Amino acid sequence: MRRLIPCLFGCIFTLQAAAQKKNEQYRLQMRKATSAIKIDGVADEPAWRDADSVSNFYMILPMDTSYANVRTDVKMTYDNDQIYLLVINYNGAPGPYMVESLRRDFAFLKNDNFLMFLDPFDDQTNGFAFGSNAAGAQWDGLMYDGGKVDLSWENKWTSLVKNYPDKWVFEASIPFKTIRYKKGITRWGINFGRNDLKTTEKSSWAPVPRQFPSASLAYTGVLDWDTIPPNAGPNISLIPYMLGGLNKDYISDNPTKWRRDAGLDAKIGITSSLNLDLTVNPDFSQVDVDKQVTNLDRFELFFPERRQFFLENGDQFTNFGYSTLRPFFSRRIGLGTPIHFGARLSGKLNRNWRLGVMNMQTGKQSATSLPAQNFTVAALQRRVFSRSNIGMLLINKESINYDPGKAEPGDPVYSRYNRNFGLEYNLASANNFWTGKALALKSFSPGLRSKDWAHAANLQYTSKVWSIGWQHEYVGKNYKAEVGYVPRTGYIKFAPTATRLFFPKTGALLSHGPQLTSTNFFTEKMERTDNELMLNYGLVWRARNTLNIWASTTYIQLLQPFDPLNLGKDSLQAFSKHSWNTVGADYVSKPQSLLTYALSARYGGYYAGGRRFTATGELGYRFQPYVSIAMSANYNQLNLPKPWGNNGFWLVGPRLDVTMTNTLYFTGFVQYNEQMKNMNLNTRLQWRYRPASDLFIVYTDNYLPEPFYVKNRALVLKLVYWLNL
């Protein structure tokens, strides 16, 4: 295997070096507008009459071997300040359009929609995405890794959708200041995608193989400018906020605390492709709370970052490594302590070089004796071959004016510093069939000198019918990433996987096929500790409903005591061995229905010879496009020997989303967690009173369900204003 992987990577390097852009012949001429344009969904301006047009989209699903049946026409033009887009989406079938709501950044597969994928550097790796559903809800994001979209990105642009009996028209204007692009380049990558739920057809202008998302930048066409795009000019945005609120802790019975706060974010365009973000006294009170889960795992659970400052253009930091081997995880910053200020410089230096540098300063937390800390993260990425890159990551966490040796008796002891350095190669072949990653990480912590490094690699081949992958990881027992997410250390992991798909030419099924995965953990001395072998058979219908049936066999040798209920009752002994078999099934209904649902169940063994039954259900109904009601429920029944006995845990979460307009939203949801003996209520009203400027009203309650008792309650009003200088 050690000889095979370098050989495969070397062969792919040769293919990449000789590869050319796949859809070179698909070109849209970008000509300057001959008149002013009003964004009203009516294409009656001379500029639209004179603009070049593209049509004849290609089908991606259900088959990628023909032109699309649903017609889509696209025109683009520009002036000194804006890029303009006009899309005519013709009806694919009679009946009303299908949309979730008017909320921004909707789910692609659950809406009739149109999306544009823009690659201003034509590097087939990074870019921007803009779009709308048939009701006018906007969709925008930063593109990275050749086809992924970060929907947390927020910026200024304008659009409008107008519905006609035979079509819906999407018209948009995107300021040059909103995007990043290199001066002097007259050739950009571009593609357009359409999802029509009534006909279950997904299509794109430049053809994309069905196994890849329509956002795949490896398959973009070419946007040919008639001249060098205009200079965006000074690009400085100030985003101040003001906040007021109150908080009441009923357990401590302290007086109500009143909040009065203010802060500032700033965005400064250093160049047309490099941006400086600054934040002073940031507040994230409007961010969605985490979705609770029943925790039956031996290791720390992962909850995604939701704070926008860390998400925007942060893929260079957060995508370094793997899902359970992340040297940087931004939720470690500001955990239980306020962030005073921060800065991030990120973007493209040129077509081949990409830079990201971030520095954050937190304050001292007297309640836990946590010292003030400084976090510095630096990433540099170099594009190689057609679409691959080599990256470097440096992380430094420093406790300010802190000596662990002088901690008071009984106080927690924190590290004086923790540093990580990593190198990573990301493979993406020109046709995207081969992808992979190889990385090495080294940590630096006081008193730790050996086995403080990690390395990992994976290689994935994806064709229309086969998906075959291999991944291995080594993490030394002294490897320490205090600003990362590495729930497990001191292990070696091997994880091969193989999937085979079949595509019937007729009938209700779109595809079906088996998948086999094996996950194996060993100690650093190659002693087996964990093994799971899973066989899954998946079915996808042409109406987009899915069914997966699976069976698995599991073996675990505990390396430390573990409470199988995570309730603190008692623990299984370290080095005890456990094995069991499990069967399960998952079904998701078709998205076209107003009533949608998803069901999941598993039954099998558990630790200590016990049994486990888990059932999960999600039910949703929408009064499109204004109201969406959802209910999720999860039940776990665990039958174990004494002292644990028989235990059942419910986790229930009803949710209400109301989108009165595409600028006024209300969300309310309740979460009841029987395992944690907790119930919380969260409501949020958001009014986007002008582009990228919002008013938030957030109300939260936290309860002890038995006996029913309020633990704490908070109300926050926050006003955000986006000012372009």
Side-chain angles (χ1 to χ4, degrees):
M1 181 58 66
R2 290 181 179 178
R3 293 182 179 179
L4 176 60
I5 291 179
C7 176
L8 287 173
F9 273 76
C11 295
I12 294 165
F13 294 164
T14 303
L15 289 172
Q16 289 195 101
Q20 293 182 350
K21 191 177 179 73
K22 290 295 173 184
N23 290 326
E24 184 77 28
Q25 68 272 31
Y26 295 90
R27 293 175 173 268
L28 172 59
Q29 298 297 318
M30 187 69 153
R31 307 182 192 279
K32 193 167 186 179
T34 56
S35 70
I37 293 177
K38 180 182 179 181
I39 305 302
D40 55 5
V42 180
D44 56 356
E45 295 92 348
W48 286 132
R49 181 195 62 211
D50 300 333
D52 283 25
S53 175
V54 295
S55 188
N56 295 325
F57 278 37
Y58 283 84
M59 191 185 299
I60 301 175
L61 290 176
M63 300 297 290
D64 61 358
T65 56
S66 67
Y67 284 107
N69 293 317
V70 181
R71 180 182 170 187
T72 309
D73 295 343
V74 182
K75 291 188 175 187
M76 290 187 71
T77 185
Y78 72 98
D79 59 22
N80 292 332
D81 303 308
Q82 312 265 348
I83 295 173
Y84 296 97
L85 173 69
L86 175 70
V87 187
I88 303 175
N89 302 275
Y90 290 93
N91 283 356
Y97 299 109
M98 298 180 182
V99 295
E100 277 185 301
S101 68
L102 297 170
R103 182 176 294 280
R104 292 176 64 89
D105 300 331
F106 47 82
F108 172 78
L109 292 176
K110 295 182 179 181
N111 291 261
D112 286 327
N113 64 73
F114 173 91
L115 304 178
M116 175 178 71
F117 308 109
L118 198 60
D119 179 7
F121 280 81
D122 199 27
D123 62 3
Q124 303 175 67
T125 305
N126 301 286
F128 301 86
F130 299 92
S132 173
N133 68 11
Q138 290 186 337
W139 191 93
D140 55 8
L142 288 176
M143 302 190 67
Y144 64 96
D145 278 3
K148 299 176 182 177
V149 182
D150 175 10
L151 294 175
S152 66
W153 182 69
E154 293 278 345
N155 222 306
K156 278 191 169 184
W157 62 290
T158 303
S159 67
L160 190 140
V161 164
K162 192 172 181 64
N163 286 279
Y164 297 87
D166 62 335
K167 59 183 175 290
W168 59 277
V169 175
F170 168 51
E171 192 173 19
S173 64
I174 303 167
F176 283 104
K177 290 185 177 184
T178 292
I179 59 176
R180 307 283 176 256
Y181 57 97
K182 189 66 177 177
K183 293 180 181 179
I185 296 179
T186 59
R187 168 193 164 116
W188 294 7
I190 197 166
N191 207 354
F192 310 108
R194 172 96 183 267
N195 189 46
D196 188 79
L197 277 180
K198 291 195 295 291
T199 61
T200 69
E201 181 180 273
K202 185 171 77 167
S203 60
S204 63
W205 167 55
V208 178
R210 63 185 298 164
Q211 68 267 32
F212 301 126
S214 52
S216 179
L217 295 181
Y219 291 91
T220 55
V222 179
L223 184 66
D224 270 328
W225 294 77
D226 59 355
T227 186
I228 295 173
N231 186 350
N235 192 355
I236 301 175
S237 299
L238 299 180
I239 313 168
Y241 81 85
M242 294 187 298
L243 178 147
L246 53 89
N247 185 290
K248 173 68 174 177
D249 188 339
Y250 288 87
I251 294 179
S252 62
D253 200 26
N254 290 328
T256 300
K257 294 182 179 179
W258 292 87
R259 292 187 62 190
R260 292 176 295 275
D261 215 342
L264 175 69
D265 288 348
K267 295 178 176 291
I268 304 169
I270 304 301
T271 69
S272 62
S273 57
L274 190 65
N275 198 67
L276 175 64
D277 291 274
L278 304 172
T279 185
V280 179
N281 193 32
D283 171 83
F284 307 103
S285 57
Q286 81 280 5
V287 174
D288 275 340
V289 300
D290 291 319
K291 185 176 181 180
Q292 295 188 28
V293 296
T294 300
N295 182 12
L296 298 174
D297 199 84
R298 290 175 291 157
F299 305 103
E300 177 191 11
L301 296 179
F302 178 83
F303 291 96
E305 175 64 87
R306 298 180 183 276
R307 297 171 295 178
Q308 189 174 341
F309 181 85
F310 294 101
L311 290 171
E312 286 191 17
N313 216 20
D315 62 279
Q316 270 190 283
F317 309 132
T318 58
N319 291 334
F320 206 99
Y322 293 98
S323 61
T324 56
L325 181 53
R326 301 173 186 261
F328 178 74
F329 178 39
S330 58
R331 284 188 68 137
R332 304 296 189 202
I333 301 175
L335 187 65
T337 187
I339 297 174
H340 287 335
F341 56 84
R344 181 182 62 233
L345 180 67
S346 60
K348 291 278 231 175
L349 299 176
N350 54 42
R351 189 171 186 263
N352 293 323
W353 287 96
R354 192 170 177 226
L355 174 70
V357 181
M358 181 166 61
N359 183 270
M360 305 295 292
Q361 179 67 49
T362 64
K364 185 176 181 180
Q365 180 61 265
S366 56
T368 59
S369 302
L370 180 67
Q373 294 178 323
N374 184 266
F375 300 83
T376 300
V377 190
L380 186 64
Q381 196 175 84
R382 162 72 183 185
R383 178 173 176 261
V384 294
F385 305 110
S386 63
R387 300 181 56 244
S388 301
N389 62 72
I390 297 174
M392 177 276 293
L393 184 70
L394 176 66
I395 305 165
N396 181 59
K397 173 188 175 183
E398 197 89 23
S399 296
I400 308 300
N401 299 322
Y402 176 73
D403 184 354
K406 296 181 179 180
E408 296 292 332
D411 284 350
V413 177
Y414 302 98
S415 63
R416 188 164 53 87
Y417 67 85
N418 175 249
R419 299 175 184 124
N420 264 256
F421 176 76
L423 291 172
E424 182 176 84
Y425 171 69
N426 288 286
L427 165 71
S429 64
N431 61 7
N432 217 38
F433 277 51
W434 289 93
T435 56
K437 177 182 289 191
L439 77 150
L441 299 165
K442 176 74 166 63
S443 67
F444 303 87
S445 300
L448 299 178
R449 291 291 182 270
S450 63
K451 297 185 178 181
D452 55 354
W453 62 290
H455 69 78
N458 81 292
L459 185 63
Q460 183 82 23
Y461 172 75
T462 306
S463 69
K464 291 185 179 181
V465 298
W466 281 103
S467 179
I468 302 173
W470 167 269
Q471 180 175 331
H472 76 263
E473 299 174 10
Y474 163 75
V475 180
K477 67 177 182 180
N478 290 329
Y479 175 73
K480 201 170 184 180
E482 293 184 7
V483 198
Y485 177 75
V486 186
R488 185 171 183 166
T489 60
Y491 72 87
I492 297 170
K493 174 184 175 182
F494 300 102
T497 180
T499 305
R500 175 66 162 92
L501 292 178
F502 301 92
F503 297 94
K505 293 184 178 180
T506 59
L509 277 180
L510 176 64
S511 67
H512 63 92
Q515 180 184 65
L516 183 66
T517 60
S518 178
T519 306
N520 309 272
F521 285 87
F522 302 85
T523 67
E524 293 176 277
K525 296 181 179 180
M526 288 304 296
E527 299 167 338
R528 186 179 70 146
T529 61
D530 299 64
N531 170 256
E532 182 177 70
L533 181 66
M534 177 179 286
L535 177 63
N536 175 84
Y537 203 93
L539 302 97
V540 180
W541 279 263
R542 295 181 188 273
R544 307 275 181 91
N545 46 323
T546 63
L547 173 66
N548 287 284
I549 304 170
W550 58 270
S552 69
T553 179
T554 302
Y555 167 82
I556 291 176
Q557 181 183 23
L558 295 174
L559 299 181
Q560 56 188 2
F562 171 62
D563 174 12
L565 298 181
N566 273 333
L567 292 177
K569 280 189 174 182
D570 202 349
S571 294
L572 297 166
Q573 293 182 356
F575 303 107
S576 58
K577 298 178 181 180
H578 310 266
S579 60
W580 61 81
N581 299 317
T582 309
V583 295
D586 310 284
Y587 179 79
V588 179
S589 67
K590 61 182 182 180
Q592 298 94 328
S593 302
L594 297 179
L595 177 67
T596 59
Y597 57 93
L599 303 172
S600 177
R602 59 174 288 169
Y603 178 76
Y606 197 54
Y607 293 95
R611 311 297 293 175
R612 176 185 176 184
F613 170 73
T614 300
T616 301
E618 294 184 6
L619 181 68
Y621 190 85
R622 65 181 188 269
F623 301 89
Q624 61 179 31
Y626 302 109
V627 179
S628 175
I629 303 171
M631 167 65 81
S632 63
N634 172 269
Y635 178 73
N636 278 274
Q637 177 65 45
L638 304 172
N639 298 329
L640 293 163
K642 293 183 178 180
W644 301 281
N646 298 335
N647 295 267
F649 301 127
W650 278 100
L651 178 63
V652 181
R655 181 184 180 100
L656 171 67
D657 281 287
V658 181
T659 55
M660 288 148 276
T661 69
N662 59 3
T663 60
L664 185 61
Y665 324 119
F666 172 81
T667 301
F669 64 93
V670 177
Q671 295 185 102
Y672 167 65
N673 189 329
E674 190 173 12
Q675 184 189 33
M676 301 299 295
K677 305 298 181 185
N678 184 73
M679 183 168 70
N680 69 280
L681 166 69
N682 182 278
T683 65
R684 182 182 63 186
L685 179 70
Q686 178 183 356
W687 175 35
R688 176 146 290 188
Y689 58 91
R690 56 175 295 165
S693 301
D694 298 283
L695 172 68
F696 298 96
I697 302 176
V698 181
Y699 175 76
T700 59
D701 260 352
N702 207 22
Y703 299 93
L704 186 69
E706 298 175 6
F708 190 79
Y709 182 79
V710 179
K711 293 196 288 186
N712 54 68
R713 180 171 288 164
L715 175 67
V716 172
L717 187 147
K718 181 178 180 181
L719 182 67
V720 182
Y721 183 79
W722 187 301
L723 174 65
N724 282 340
L725 301 182

